[in-house]
Amino acid sequence: MDDKVTPKLLTAILSAGMLSFLGILDETATTVTFPTLIKEFAVTTDQVQWVNTLVLLVIATIVPISSQVSLRFSTKRIFLAGITFFVLGLVIDIFTPRFDLLLLGRAFQGIGTGVGLPLMYNIILTKVPKTHLGFMMGIGTMITAAAVALGPVFGGIVTELLNWRWIFIISIFLAIISALREFIRLLNLINYKKFPLNMVSG
């Protein structure tokens, strides 16, 4: 049995990790843009908070069903779906002239993040050899923690020097580069069979 983390396996982990990293980075970065968004879209403080609250609600909805999804679709398809929703959300956020469309874009980003985060840990838990499992779990946690730590700083610098929309412009470039570079090499790491959807356990 191979007890090494192969380059292809590491690539798959980092590909899914990039999707979750960008989602969490944008979520924390947009927090510092609230005053700007309130002025630009003429919304209240309560309304602008939905820019992030909606993302968290979508992620909380997507993550619990990820195990069922992974049994029915290959890793490549799951990754492609996640990156597609995420990039579509970014495009809407970049060009939107209205606050409701901004929320729609953020919801699509939430779907992409909700797909990428459990996918990364699923790959780690199912394919990484036990001798390296602790280390790779640490890498996965570091990716998430780094996004949380860097987000407000990233958002503040970009908003001050450029414009709040550049948060999403930078993210879309990183997402597309990650998809083009890594998707072709991403393995079908999760063996799956078709099972009936089990909504009730016990």
Side-chain angles (χ1 to χ4, degrees):
M1 181 178 177
D2 190 2
D3 62 349
K4 296 181 180 180
V5 178
T6 65
K8 289 185 177 180
L9 176 57
L10 183 60
T11 294
I13 294 171
L14 294 179
S15 296
M18 176 60 76
L19 185 56
S20 61
F21 173 83
L22 291 176
I24 297 173
L25 182 74
D26 287 352
E27 193 273 328
T28 53
T30 51
T31 302
V32 301
T33 68
F34 283 178
T36 303
L37 296 178
I38 289 173
K39 293 180 181 179
E40 182 166 335
F41 293 106
V43 294
T44 66
T45 302
D46 291 338
Q47 289 173 325
V48 79
Q49 292 178 11
W50 279 100
V51 170
N52 284 345
T53 302
L54 183 60
V55 175
L56 296 176
L57 288 175
V58 173
I59 293 174
T61 303
I62 297 297
V63 169
I65 66 175
S66 62
S67 60
Q68 293 286 338
V69 173
S70 66
L71 292 174
R72 289 163 177 77
F73 301 98
S74 66
T75 309
K76 284 184 179 180
R77 289 185 178 181
I78 296 173
F79 178 77
L80 180 59
I83 201 72
T84 300
F85 275 110
F86 191 76
V87 170
L88 178 60
L90 288 172
V91 172
I92 295 174
D93 293 337
I94 291 169
F95 294 104
T96 179
R98 292 161 33 192
F99 185 71
D100 58 342
L101 291 179
L102 176 64
L103 294 182
L104 177 63
R106 296 292 289 147
F108 283 150
Q109 282 188 266
I111 295 174
T113 306
V115 169
L117 188 59
L119 179 62
M120 175 181 66
Y121 285 110
N122 197 4
I123 294 172
I124 293 174
L125 290 172
T126 58
K127 293 301 175 181
V128 171
K130 291 183 179 180
T131 54
H132 300 285
L133 186 58
F135 175 75
M136 294 309 301
M137 284 294 291
I139 294 295
T141 303
M142 185 182 69
I143 291 173
T144 304
V148 174
L150 294 174
V153 178
F154 169 69
I157 292 175
V158 172
T159 304
E160 181 70 21
L161 298 180
L162 298 169
N163 180 282
W164 65 269
R165 296 178 192 268
W166 276 92
I167 293 174
F168 304 116
I169 293 173
I170 294 172
S171 293
I172 200 171
F173 276 114
L174 294 175
I176 291 175
I177 290 172
S178 176
L180 291 177
R181 180 183 176 185
E182 311 295 356
F183 176 68
I184 297 177
R185 298 167 58 191
L186 191 63
L187 296 177
N188 285 314
L189 293 171
I190 302 174
N191 297 322
Y192 66 97
K193 298 179 180 179
K194 291 186 176 180
F195 293 92
L197 184 61
N198 180 17
M199 301 301 294
V200 180
S201 60

